[in-house]
Amino acid sequence: MGSYDVSDESPERRFRTLFISDVHLGARGSQADLLLDFLRYHDADTIYLVGDIVDGWALKSSWHWPQSHNDLVQKLLRKARKGAKIIYVPGNHDEFLRNYYGTHFGGIDVVENTVHTGVDGKRYLVIHGDIFDLVVQNARWLAHLGDKAYDFAIQVNRFVNFFRRMFGVPYWSLSQWAKQKVKNAVNYIGAFEQALSAEARRHDADGVICGHIHYAVIRDEAGIRYMNCGDWVESCTALVEHDDGHFEIITWADHAQKPAAVPQVAARAA
């Protein structure tokens, strides 16, 4: 995992490919400021936005769009103008963009899904993943309820970590701890990974790159390389492909901290 010192004088790190998902712009839990900071230090020839970049669900219930959210959009558009290839694969929270498949705006291509070819020629299906979530597909009201509960957990988590910082105690995730202890959450992650790996196999791909469950990981699943970008609500993770072809998950922590390790078990069915 990416773990190194960062300062304002550090040179920008450039990758072959950068994958970002689940930023949830428009939601109060979005840590757009940290992603904006991450993008100041990191760039790539190709950037995939793997769904739920904008949170249409949150914006419908309560408008929230601070300056950092607008700055992040402008940052991505500037990267596109400077020559980065940006591909947007909408998720369930930004499903309004699914009406615009095949369009090109501001240097960004909107597609239903796509296949990324690695340096070694291996093919990776890039898809958000929500279509393999039965809760989202068959019980939308329950998905919205779970989304509200998750947002509440995030607020409680921030309150807890405010006091932890006062006493010099490292960051701790309430929701991820809870999911780690709940058997159904662990089973859900496993089922999701298996379903996405099977979909990659149906596309004759060697792997799959997705988001949706807010759980950053790289693992092999029955001969398929499964990679999840994570999120920018809690873990603040991005998936990168280096010029030599190897993939890595980078975790971006608070300015005063080194990037932390990616949690081993975390999920969000949203």
Side-chain angles (χ1 to χ4, degrees):
M1 302 302 178
S3 182
Y4 46 85
D5 290 315
V6 177
S7 70
D8 290 339
E9 291 75 30
S10 296
E12 184 180 75
R13 300 183 76 198
R14 189 172 188 88
F15 303 102
R16 181 173 187 260
T17 320
L18 172 62
F19 302 85
I20 297 167
S21 75
D22 297 273
V23 184
H24 292 274
L25 295 176
R28 297 185 185 278
S30 175
Q31 299 204 54
D33 53 340
L34 288 184
L35 177 53
L36 184 61
D37 185 63
F38 173 86
L39 292 174
R40 291 190 182 106
Y41 291 88
H42 303 81
D43 204 355
D45 299 325
T46 303
I47 300 174
Y48 288 92
L49 305 175
V50 194
D52 286 2
I53 304 302
V54 177
D55 196 326
W57 293 11
L59 289 172
K60 282 183 180 179
S61 62
S62 175
W63 184 263
H64 176 73
W65 196 267
Q67 187 61 44
S68 61
H69 293 204
N70 190 62
D71 291 344
L72 178 58
V73 172
Q74 294 301 318
K75 181 72 170 179
L76 290 169
L77 291 173
R78 281 197 299 273
K79 285 185 179 295
R81 288 196 299 269
K82 291 181 179 179
K85 182 179 181 181
I86 301 183
I87 302 169
Y88 197 142
V89 180
N92 51 307
H93 282 257
D94 46 16
E95 61 189 353
F96 58 91
L97 288 172
R98 288 175 170 170
N99 296 321
Y100 300 97
Y101 288 149
T103 61
H104 180 89
F105 64 92
I108 300 175
D109 294 306
V110 182
V111 300
E112 181 176 7
N113 58 64
T114 189
V115 172
H116 171 74
T117 303
V119 174
D120 56 4
K122 289 186 177 181
R123 302 168 69 251
Y124 299 92
L125 174 66
V126 182
I127 187 171
H128 180 64
D130 62 288
I131 62 172
F132 299 94
D133 186 339
L134 293 178
V135 173
V136 171
Q137 294 301 311
N138 299 324
R140 193 175 181 86
W141 65 271
L142 186 58
H144 279 275
L145 181 62
D147 194 58
K148 294 296 183 183
Y150 181 82
D151 290 341
F152 176 74
I154 293 296
Q155 296 303 317
V156 172
N157 194 66
R158 287 184 174 180
F159 180 76
V160 170
N161 278 288
F162 172 78
F163 289 99
R164 289 176 67 87
R165 285 194 300 271
M166 289 180 62
F167 292 98
V169 181
Y171 176 84
W172 177 74
S173 172
L174 170 64
S175 65
Q176 291 179 4
W177 175 85
K179 293 163 189 171
Q180 203 170 16
K181 302 298 181 181
V182 178
K183 182 178 180 180
N184 286 345
V186 177
N187 291 341
Y188 170 80
I189 294 172
F192 183 83
E193 292 177 355
Q194 291 170 15
L196 267 293
S197 297
E199 182 67 8
R201 192 173 291 107
R202 283 192 289 272
H203 281 76
D204 295 321
D206 301 286
V208 60
I209 297 170
C210 60
H212 186 58
I213 62 171
H214 295 204
Y215 173 34
V217 70
I218 299 174
R219 77 162 90 251
D220 291 321
E221 177 66 41
I224 296 292
R225 174 60 59 91
Y226 170 90
M227 294 183 280
N228 195 300
C229 309
D231 70 283
W232 288 87
V233 177
E234 279 193 277
S235 58
C236 296
T237 54
L239 175 70
V240 300
E241 180 190 21
H242 293 265
D243 287 334
D244 63 4
H246 85 273
F247 288 86
E248 175 190 9
I249 291 170
I250 296 178
T251 302
W252 201 245
D254 187 83
H255 297 289
Q257 302 173 0
K258 293 182 180 180
V262 174
Q264 293 303 304
V265 178
R268 181 199 193 192

